[in-house]
Amino acid sequence: MAETAQQQIQVTLRDGSIKEVAKGSTIRDVAYVIGEGLGKATVGGRLGDDKAIRDLRTVLDADCTLDLVTATSNDGQDVIRHSAAHIMADAILNLWPDAKLGIGPSVKDGFYYDIDPEHRITPEDLPKIEEEMGKIIKADTDFVRCVIDRQEKLAKAKAEGDIYKADLMEGFDPNEEVTFYTHGNESFEDLCRGPHVPSTGYVKAFKVLRVAGAYWRGDENNKMLQRLYGTAWWSKKDMKSYLARIEEAKKRDHRKLGTELGLFLIRPEIAPASPFFLPKGATLFRILVDYMRELYQSYGYDEVITPQVFDVSLWHTSGHYEHYKDNMYFTQVEGTDCAVKPMNCPAHTFVYANDLRSYRDLPLRIADFGRLHRYERSGVTHGLTRVRTFCQDDAHVFCTPEQIQEEISSLIQMITEVYRTFGFEDLKIFLSTRPDDSVGSDDIWERAEASLQEALSANAVAYEVNEGDGAFYGPKIDFVVLDALEREWQLGTIQLDFNLPERFQLKFIDSNGQEQRPVMIHRAILGSLERFIGILIEHTGGAFPFWVAPVQARVIAIADDHVEYGREVAQRLEEEGFRIDTDFGNAKTGAKIRDARLQRIPYRLVVGGREMENGTVAVRQRPDEDLGTLGVEEVVALFQEKERTRA
C-alpha cells in the first residue's frame, strides 16, 4: 500500500480542488479525470506560476498546481490557431515544395504564415490550400514536440537553403532549448516553441482569408515575403459568426465610408499617411474639440498653444531622442539641428516653469490640441487609424505627490464619462508597467507603479497588469474600448511621470517654504482625433449620433414651388445652431430621401404643398422611421432635446 501511495501525486486546480493522479500522468489525463467533456475540450495547461502554456502531453511527475486551458478560451483559441498555421504551411509545401518557411504565429482572431515561394500565391490559390489543409486535418496525425541539437539543426538548415529558419536559430540565446514540432507521421517539421493541440484533427473550423506582403522580420531592408492570413475556431458556428463580423467590418471600413460620406481623403503620392479633412470631416473634427473644451471647463483645465519645432537639445533632455528618435522627423534651422514634436509633454514643462509655483497653485492642468508628427512605416499606416500627422486631446497635470490619488480618480471619472457619451459601454483597463527601455531609478518606478495601483484600487476598478508595456518615462493606465463589432481599441491613457520633472528641474514651494518636485501626469482620452474619428465611423457605421453628425438634418423640397418654404425651414433651424443642408434638385422625392439615407443623415425633413400651407414638415428619422408631420417649432424642440441629452 505504501508503494502505491508513493506513485500518486496531487494536482491542485484553479478552483482550489485537488485531484490525485498517478505519477507520470499528463495534463490531458488530468482533464479526463475531471470529465470526458472537459478532456475533449482541453488543449493545454499552465503549471504553477508559469505563464507559458504547456502541451497536453506534458508529464506531471510531482505535486503541482494546474490551470487547464480549454479550446473556447482566448488562450485555447491561440493554441488552435498556431496549430492551424503549421497545417497551412504543410499544405503549401505539399503544393509548392520549393517554398521556404518564415514564421507562423497566432494573432487576434486568426493566424498567418510568412512564405517565400517560387510560385507567387494568388487569391485563386486559396481554395487549393484549404483543400490540402482539409486532407491534413482529416488524417488526424499527432503534433509531436522534439528537442533538437541547435548546432546540428542550424548546419542542416544552412545546407538545405532553409535561410529563414537558420536566421531565427542564429538569433537564439546559446543556452536556450531549441524545439521543433512535427506532424503527419513526422513528414512535416517546423522550428517552434509551441504549444500545439494533440493532433491535426483538433482544428475543426478554419479558413484561409487573404494573401499580403510582409518584409522578413518587419525590416524593409529585407526581402518581401508573402503573408497568408487565416482564421481557425473550435466550432464552425463560432467561425461563421466571426466571418459575418468580418463582412460587416468591410461595410463599416472607415476608409470606404469616409469617401462615401465626404469626410476625408488621403493622397499618398502627395502627403503619405496624412489625411485631408473635407468640410464635413472638418466639422466632425471641430465638434470633438469643442466637446473636449466643454469638459475642460468642468474639470479645471487651461488650454495652451506650443511650438511645433524645437532645438534637438530639448529632446535629449527629455529622453525622447535616445528612446524615440526613429519615430521623429528632423530638420535644420539656420544650421541648428531641430526636431518636429511627436508629443507635447516637454513643451508643457516650459509652460509650468514660466512662473514660480507654490503648492497653492497645484494641481495645474494644461491642455493642448497642437499638431504632432510621428514617422510610421508605410507598411503599418492605415487610413485615419495610423497616420503620420495628427492632433491629440493631450493634457498634462502637474501636482504634488499627495494629490496623485485625487487627480487620477478625477481622470478615471472623466474618461469613463466621455466613452459612455460616445456609446462605448464596454471597457477593459490595463496597468502597464516598466519596460526594458526606460529611464529613471528603481525607486521612482516603484513609487509610480504603486501610486497607480492604489488609485485603481481606491476607485474599485478591475484591471489587468500589462507587464513591460509602460512608457519609457513612467507606468500608465490604458483604457481599451470595445466597438459595435466587439473589436478592441486602445484609446485613453493616464501616465504617471516622476522623471520629466527631474530632468527639467521643475519645482514648487511647499507649505514650509522648501523647494519640492512636482509629479507630472500625462493623459489623453480620445487620443489621436484622427484615429478616434476612424474608430467612431466604424463603431457607428457612419450613422453618427445626432449631436456629432456633421449634417443633422436635410430639408427636401418635393417641387420647385416648395423651395422657398424649404429655405425658410432650413434658416429657422440654422438660427438655432443646427447643421442643416438642403436638396432642392429636380430628382424624384423618393430618390432624394434614399440619398439622404445613404448619407446617414439623422433626419430628413420633407416639405410639399400641404406642409407649406400648414407651416409643418414631414419628418423621417434614420434609418427610415416616419415620425409623421410636425410643426417647425416642434422640430426645433425635438432637436434641442437630442442635442441636450447627446442621445
Side-chain angles (χ1 to χ4, degrees), residues 57 360 381 386 392 504 524 547 552 566 628:
R57 291 191 178 85
R360 295 187 181 91
T381 57
R386 198 75 176 265
Q392 280 187 327
F504 285 95
W547 71 277
Q552 295 173 306

Side-chain angles (χ1 to χ4, degrees), residues 71-72 77 81 205 231-245:
T72 54
Q77 294 282 19
R81 289 164 187 154
T231 189
W233 299 80
W234 179 243
S235 74
K236 291 183 178 179
K237 179 182 176 182
D238 288 342
M239 189 176 78
K240 184 178 179 181
S241 175
Y242 168 73
L243 294 176
R245 292 200 304 274

